[in-house]
Amino acid sequence: MAAGTPVIVTRQLTKTYAGAGVAVAALRGISLTVERGEYLAVMGASGSGKSTLAHILGCLDLPTGGRYLLDGVDVRGLGEDQLARIRNRKIGFVFQSFNLLAHATAIENVELPLIYQGVARAERRHRALAALRSVGGERWRDHRPNQLSGGTIQKVALARAIVTDPALLLADEPTGNLDSASSDDVLASFARLNAAGRTIVMITHEADVAARARRLVRIRDGRVVEDRPISSERPVAAAVAAAPPAGARDQPQPLGQPA
Amino acid sequence: MIPLENVRIALQGVGSNRMRSGLTILGILIGVASVIILVAVGNGSSIAIQSRIQSLGTNLLQVQSQPVFFRAGGQTATLTQSTNLTAADVHALEQHDLNPDVAAVAPVLTASVTATWDGNSYSPSQFLGTTPPYRRIAGYRLAHGQFFSSAQLHSHARVVVVGQTVVSSLFGGQSPVGQSVQLNGATFQVIGVLAAKGTSGATNQDDVMMAPLTAVEDAITGYQASYSRIDVEAASPSRETAAEYEVATTLDTTHHIASLASGNLQILNQASLISTSTAQTFTTLLAAVAAISLLVGGIGVMNIMLVTVTERTHEIGIRKAVGARRRDLLGQFLVEAVLLAAIGGVVGVGVGLLGSHFQIVGVTPVVAPYSVALALVVSVAVGLFFGLYPASRAAGLQPIDALRHE
């Protein structure tokens, strides 16, 4: 893919759920373009369709109509295995409910996407450790999720999301289950990753969480009702503005953060 | 992904989900073990009963005259007793130099009688007129009194020996020795009570009365041209085949025809007595026991596998979300299911064999090799099917739908 290709292009994306006799329209035509290196917050009330959008952008669900190009690849018409490959290599997903394997340790959870890439064991461990380190979680490597706090679990999930160096980091209410201190911590990690050039789309219903991003898209009743940049005075955001977004992915150490 | 990785993931899955793995193994284990033990108990009782039949009379041969049907010119079938078993046959069989492997011979005349005592009447299922050697041949012991003697046989003494069932049914449980009993109106004196012997197949061996052959012909049946059968005891179990051959040869000589070859006479040995009566019943019974055990075991395995599906589906959602393909998941579950089924199967066989060493409700179980194979195959197949099928369905879901299973 060319460096200039937008990470996300959607055109008139629709999603209809066939309910009991009634078809419920969750998305009524979302058209959105996200460039490389952007940090986008999608905001909306509950029921606005933002979670549905997150699932479709993350290739966890398929749209009913419209087009979706992820990193230049049209997702429609892809087979099951190709979709799995896209989820594996191009998308890192952070869930509200973490979705870590309960019986596996932190490092095993982070390694999981690499297993399905066929990465050899030693390299897998090495890269998983690097990802854990980049979210400051190396010391939890042998803990299981039930031995960790919500904030740390979400950081392990974040490490899992970035371990494959995906084109898109997608977060669905990543702070929804966290207290405010942990939320700050996780959001700081997002900001650092974005500063390092990573493209982030974050779904949230909280205005102060959305304010940490650099661009805000507001959704209501399955349609985009607002799309504007966030002017921020925060130092992190200022630092991000100085970084060249498109070139960031070509750095030899993509997981590393500016010291 | 290389298959080795599947194995590694599966091993990790089995090791980390201890509860689920444990329950699955337990389900298969119980299925396999219960089949083995239940069939072993059935088999054990079958063998116990067969050995009781052996005690019915060791080395027993029974010579029977076969009713022969023949059609004459398209007429209706006629039943004819073509070869009679007579005193001459008994006499010939008693020639020890001709029949060195025959230890004892007793003619048997059966009749149906109604016995009356003190206003009670009772019809035993067996009433025999015979000779003194019969007691030893048939393996009866006496509880009270004595068996009739050769002298009583020759003097046509009207004496009778009764079994335990007759004692309880006719005499109200009291020892009837010395009592007089009416048999079809003729008076006989009870001189002995047989010790309990139990049931052989459908026959209650204690529901019996025996009297001297001569007295029975006098008082009950009238003179008979042919005995019902002749019972023969071989000198030892190892000589039974030889004895059977000698009996056949002797009878062919006395009748001047190949009566056995023509099917007019039939010699039943211990094996054929058992196989004709009891063995078939037990084969059916064992098959039923095995089928029920397999059903129970299979349902147990199925339940455990289905219970873990919800947890499994969520895990499948997570794995799919991070890029597992359907074939990755199927490979993982296949290896997992095979592994769990194998462990459960092997341990189940161990537990089954171990459990079969104990007496269960008074029966010493005897393991039937076929039950081990059957239990393994069915339980493992059920475990594999219910381990793979729900998982493969979940693997076909959209990741988000699988993730919604909490």
Side-chain angles (χ1 to χ4, degrees):
Chain A
M1 67 226 74
T5 318
V7 176
I8 292 175
V9 178
T10 73
R11 289 290 170 261
Q12 290 302 313
L13 215 51
T14 62
K15 177 71 180 180
T16 309
Y17 290 108
V22 198
V24 181
L27 298 183
R28 299 162 188 269
I30 302 267
S31 296
L32 203 60
T33 303
V34 179
E35 299 293 342
R36 206 162 296 279
E38 277 199 279
Y39 185 2
L40 177 78
V42 176
M43 253 197 92
S46 128
S48 61
K50 61 183 191 305
S51 272
T52 303
L53 179 64
H55 297 152
I56 290 175
L57 292 181
C59 293
L60 298 175
D61 205 353
L62 294 173
T64 311
R67 289 185 72 196
Y68 172 28
L69 279 75
L70 174 64
D71 208 15
V73 180
D74 195 339
V75 168
R76 284 192 65 128
L78 290 186
E80 214 184 313
D81 282 1
Q82 290 162 303
L83 280 174
R85 190 183 158 84
I86 284 195
R87 283 195 293 272
N88 187 226
R89 292 172 189 255
K90 291 195 183 293
I91 302 169
F93 210 112
V94 178
F95 298 89
Q96 178 177 359
S97 54
F98 320 127
N99 281 336
L100 295 183
L101 294 180
H103 301 286
T105 60
I107 187 84
E108 285 165 352
N109 267 294
V110 175
E111 274 183 46
L112 198 59
L114 298 177
I115 290 177
Y116 293 116
Q117 260 181 33
V119 176
R121 200 175 163 82
E123 195 196 337
R124 220 157 64 200
R125 187 73 17 146
H126 175 74
R127 283 172 65 179
L129 267 177
L132 265 183
R133 205 176 294 129
S134 74
V135 297
E138 205 182 351
R139 65 183 179 282
W140 312 314
R141 53 173 291 179
D142 293 323
H143 290 70
R144 292 176 200 284
N146 62 4
Q147 299 167 314
L148 297 171
S149 71
T152 32
I153 294 176
Q154 195 59 298
K155 283 188 169 180
V156 172
L158 184 56
R160 181 182 68 182
I162 60 175
V163 74
T164 57
D165 189 21
L168 171 66
L169 178 56
L170 195 58
D172 184 11
E173 302 273 14
T175 61
N177 285 5
L178 304 181
D179 59 48
S180 56
S182 304
S183 295
D184 264 351
D185 206 11
V186 167
L187 289 171
S189 294
F190 275 108
R192 272 199 303 275
L193 288 166
N194 176 244
R198 196 159 297 286
T199 313
I200 302 176
V201 172
M202 181 169 67
I203 313 300
T204 183
H205 68 279
E206 293 171 272
D208 56 333
V209 171
R212 308 283 282 263
R214 288 159 60 201
R215 176 181 162 199
L216 177 72
V217 169
R218 203 182 288 274
I219 293 188
R220 189 179 299 144
D221 299 331
R223 288 194 184 86
V224 176
V225 293
E226 187 185 351
D227 187 349
R228 63 170 172 86
I230 298 174
S231 54
S232 176
E233 67 287 351
R234 286 169 190 273
V236 174
V240 167
R249 273 174 54 81
D250 300 324
Q251 288 173 1
Q253 267 292 0
L255 296 177
Q257 46 193 309
Chain B
M1 191 168 64
I2 49 169
L4 185 66
E5 211 53 66
N6 279 329
V7 177
R8 207 172 274 154
I9 292 179
L11 286 176
Q12 211 175 47
V14 168
S16 56
N17 300 300
R18 295 223 170 78
M19 185 72 165
R20 185 174 70 201
S21 309
L23 285 175
T24 308
I25 290 175
L26 191 68
I28 295 174
L29 188 158
I30 290 174
V32 171
S34 69
V35 171
I36 292 175
I37 292 178
L38 282 175
V39 172
V41 168
N43 199 26
S45 12
S46 163
I47 287 173
I49 289 205
Q50 292 199 6
S51 71
R52 249 191 227 168
I53 293 174
Q54 302 280 353
S55 77
L56 158 157
T58 46
N59 326 321
L60 176 67
L61 295 172
Q62 287 188 343
V63 183
Q64 288 185 345
S65 169
Q66 276 287 88
V68 175
F69 291 92
F70 71 92
R71 285 174 184 281
Q75 299 292 308
T76 44
T78 316
L79 178 61
T80 164
Q81 194 96 356
S82 67
T83 307
N84 290 334
L85 291 169
T86 62
D89 290 321
V90 176
H91 185 70
L93 289 170
E94 281 170 343
Q95 302 304 308
H96 189 70
D97 48 342
L98 289 174
N99 306 291
D101 297 304
V102 169
V105 181
V108 175
L109 191 58
T110 58
S112 122
V113 300
T114 301
T116 317
W117 177 80
D118 195 22
N120 298 330
S121 66
Y122 180 73
S123 296
S125 59
Q126 291 185 78
F127 178 82
L128 315 174
T130 184
T131 59
Y134 179 78
R135 186 195 62 77
R136 209 187 90 188
I137 295 173
Y140 281 101
R141 289 171 202 287
L142 280 163
H144 310 290
Q146 53 199 2
F147 208 75
F148 51 85
S149 63
S150 296
Q152 285 170 315
L153 176 71
H154 292 306
S155 65
H156 296 224
R158 299 200 175 180
V159 292
V160 66
V161 175
V162 301
Q164 292 289 343
T165 304
V166 177
V167 172
S168 57
S169 299
L170 184 63
F171 299 101
Q174 302 161 354
S175 173
V177 175
Q179 302 283 325
S180 287
V181 62
Q182 308 288 317
L183 300 177
N184 288 2
T187 303
F188 279 70
Q189 192 189 15
V190 179
I191 57 163
V193 174
L194 299 165
K197 212 170 162 220
T199 309
S200 151
T203 312
N204 176 1
Q205 298 179 83
D206 296 325
D207 191 11
V208 65
M209 295 176 100
M210 300 168 191
L213 182 66
T214 49
V216 171
E217 281 188 330
D218 287 351
I220 293 165
T221 62
Y223 176 73
Q224 294 288 306
S226 175
Y227 302 127
S228 308
R229 60 173 205 257
I230 297 174
D231 285 7
V232 176
E233 185 187 20
S236 76
S238 58
R239 288 158 78 180
E240 191 177 327
T241 312
E244 188 174 342
Y245 176 76
E246 288 159 15
V247 169
T249 313
T250 304
L251 291 177
D252 279 353
T253 311
T254 53
H255 291 275
H256 303 291
I257 48 158
S259 297
L260 286 156
S262 68
N264 292 344
L265 285 179
Q266 191 182 24
I267 301 178
L268 298 176
N269 57 26
Q270 201 66 56
S272 63
L273 281 173
I274 292 165
S275 67
T276 47
S277 58
T278 326
Q280 275 178 349
T281 317
F282 264 93
T283 309
T284 317
L285 186 66
L286 279 182
V289 167
I292 292 170
S293 323
L294 281 178
L295 189 71
V296 170
I299 289 174
V301 173
M302 184 184 78
N303 274 342
I304 298 299
M305 298 312 259
L306 290 180
V307 160
T308 59
V309 163
T310 306
E311 186 193 0
R312 179 109 281 191
T313 305
H314 188 69
E315 179 190 331
I316 289 167
I318 293 176
R319 291 184 184 273
K320 288 201 82 164
V322 301
R325 290 162 304 177
R326 197 178 176 138
R327 83 176 84 115
D328 296 327
L329 295 168
L330 291 184
Q332 177 195 341
F333 298 138
L334 182 66
V335 175
E336 251 190 58
V338 167
L339 194 69
L340 294 180
I343 295 175
V346 168
V347 180
V349 168
V351 170
L353 295 181
L354 195 72
S356 302
H357 275 90
F358 299 98
Q359 272 217 347
I360 298 166
V361 288
V363 176
T364 308
V366 178
V367 173
Y370 80 88
S371 73
V372 175
L374 192 70
L376 263 180
V377 168
V378 173
S379 297
V380 167
V382 170
L384 282 183
F385 180 79
F386 285 99
L388 279 181
Y389 175 69
S392 83
R393 279 189 54 160
L397 290 174
Q398 284 299 327
I400 196 64
D401 294 325
L403 278 174
R404 284 199 185 104
H405 280 263
E406 283 282 11

